[in-house]
Each structure stands twice: as C-alpha cells, then as structure tokens.
Amino acid sequence: MSSHPEHGETGGPAEELRAAVNRLRRQVCDLHALLPANGLVAWTSGNVSARVPGAELMVIKPSGVDYEDLTPESMVLCDLHGNVVEGEYQPSSDTGSHAYVYRHRPDVGGVVHTHSTYATAWSARAEAIPCVITAMADEFGGEIPVGPFALIGDEAIGKGVVETLAGHRSPAVLMRNHGVFTVGKDARAAVKAAVMTEDVARTVHLARAYGEPIPIPAADVDALYDRYTNVYGQRSAADGANER
Ligand SMILES: [Zn+2]
C-alpha cells in the first residue's frame, strides 16, 4: 500500500489520485446505468461502488438520487469506514457494508447491490440457487449461497456478505429477505455478476416450476469453473471479452 497521496503537496501522487478518482467517478456513474437497463432495480434501489486502487478510498452512489440524474460529480468519495471524503450528497445507505467488504477482502475492487426480482425471491425463501446449468458453473463455481438476515444501515450486511462468500467460489450472495450482493475484481465485474445472478435465478426458477432440476456433478462443476476462469480469463484482461 502506498502512503496516502491525497495528503501530498508536491503534485505528482496527488494528481495521480485525483485522476484515478475522476476516472472511477465516471466509470461508477456509467455502470449504474446498466442496472435499470438490465431490469435489476426499481426506483432508486441498488448501488455500485468501486475501490480506489492504492488508496483507502471508494467511490459509491449517492443516496436517493434518481438513476437518470446520476452524474460523475454526484458520486460520493468515502473512506473504507464509510465516512464521506468528498461529495455533495449523502452516500448510499449501504455504504458501511460496501466499506466492510473492501476492508476484509483486499482482492475485491467492486461491489454491487440490487433487489433484482427473481434472485430476491430466492432470498425471501432463504434458498440457495443450486448449480444446475453450465453457465452457473462457469460464473459461480457452484451454488449461489444465502447469507444471514441483517438490518440495513451499518456494517452488519457487509459482515454477512464476507462471512458467507468465504465458504464459496460464488461472487454473489443472496442476503436473506433482502436481495443480492456481488463482488468483483473491479466494479464492472461485480455488475456482470449481478446481471448473471438475476439471469440464472430466473432460469432455475422456471426449471423448478415445471419439475426438479438435475444437479451437475461436482467434478464437472469444477472442470467448467476451472476452464472458464483460467482459459477464458487469460484473453479477457481488457474488458469482459470472456462474455459468450
Ligand atoms: Zn437493499
């Protein structure tokens, strides 16, 4: 971890940090448009955040602002305890939980939260989504697990997310009676996981409505996940070229 360049006065590191924050403000703003575009959110629910690489900071959605009114400038810069560092608005009410995830998962660069319909229906039953389609084995490496019930407003949700994901390869968790939290190496990867979560939640729901889905044997799940992660992953460094 570098020293805290935001306190630098010589220009170089501070300017680099400023440029990185500005880049992430735009990226996080743009990624928010993908939530309503993919039918994952209603009204102002849902949020995306991104870690500022090399700094104890994150960029997150402001609370209660309509999606169409979001701008790069309206994104809120917070420290990793959820305190506002820079921004005109209050940050999302889930900020404490996003911050908790970043503090406890150094590999995570992006976090997304939605109440997307099908996935949230599974969470209302506290039922994990079983791994019954190959796309799920690829992306999640097994079931999408259920996390504990936790009240909104502090770090309790984040703690439940971290503790639940520790036992799974899945980048997504269904928080009981609430909705979906996803993580990724960056914010775009976390958004992709949120889109895929709703997609498989819908598919497996439909499969279940007409019969009993057939599980994929664990060894085949491992093989699919390994191939997708390692073979496809190598040619996807730029921007999600592993989407098929
Ligand atoms: Zn929520």
Side-chain angles (χ1 to χ4, degrees):
M1 188 71 61
S2 62
S3 60
H4 295 281
E6 69 273 24
H7 301 307
E9 293 170 352
T10 54
E15 280 171 23
E16 272 175 36
L17 181 71
R18 168 51 49 201
V21 168
N22 288 345
R23 222 171 22 246
L24 285 171
R25 281 179 174 279
R26 172 159 296 284
Q27 185 192 82
V28 171
C29 178
D30 290 348
L31 286 169
H32 273 100
L34 296 178
L35 302 187
N38 285 279
L40 302 186
V41 293
W43 202 240
T44 63
S45 74
N47 41 66
V48 179
S49 71
R51 183 199 293 275
V52 181
E56 300 283 325
L57 297 168
M58 66 182 200
V59 172
I60 191 165
K61 177 171 170 273
S63 180
V65 177
D66 290 342
Y67 274 89
E68 57 266 37
D69 294 334
L70 294 176
T71 60
E73 297 72 33
S74 67
M75 298 297 127
V76 186
L77 183 68
C78 292
D79 68 20
L80 297 190
H81 292 273
N83 303 304
V84 175
V85 173
E86 177 186 270
E88 292 173 34
Y89 294 89
Q90 286 297 310
S92 159
S93 45
D94 294 307
T95 297
S97 286
H98 286 243
Y100 185 96
V101 174
Y102 291 124
R103 289 208 310 281
H104 292 82
R105 286 283 305 267
D107 59 312
V108 167
V111 177
V112 172
H113 171 49
T114 79
H115 302 155
S116 66
T117 307
Y118 284 87
T120 301
W122 286 86
S123 88
R125 295 195 305 268
E127 187 174 1
I129 305 175
C131 187
V132 291
I133 41 183
T134 56
M136 223 183 134
D138 287 347
E139 193 71 36
F140 299 92
E143 68 172 17
I144 300 178
V146 176
F149 178 79
L151 289 177
I152 194 170
D154 58 11
E155 302 181 338
I157 293 172
K159 189 164 183 287
V161 169
V162 169
E163 287 175 1
T164 306
L165 291 183
H168 293 82
R169 288 188 290 210
S170 170
V173 51
L174 310 175
M175 292 301 284
R176 184 162 70 81
N177 301 102
H178 185 171
V180 179
F181 276 79
T182 63
V183 299
K185 66 178 179 5
D186 54 27
R188 181 180 163 81
V191 170
K192 181 189 174 192
V195 172
M196 297 301 288
T197 296
E198 181 63 5
D199 188 53
V200 301
R202 186 172 59 233
T203 303
V204 180
H205 168 83
L206 288 171
R208 269 269 297 273
Y210 296 98
E212 194 54 42
I214 300 165
I216 300 173
D220 292 331
V221 172
D222 288 348
L224 287 161
Y225 181 74
D226 185 59
R227 176 172 173 275
Y228 186 74
T229 307
N230 296 316
V231 179
Y232 281 100
Q234 285 171 18
R235 46 181 277 264
S236 67
D239 65 341
N242 58 348
E243 289 157 25
R244 294 171 293 166

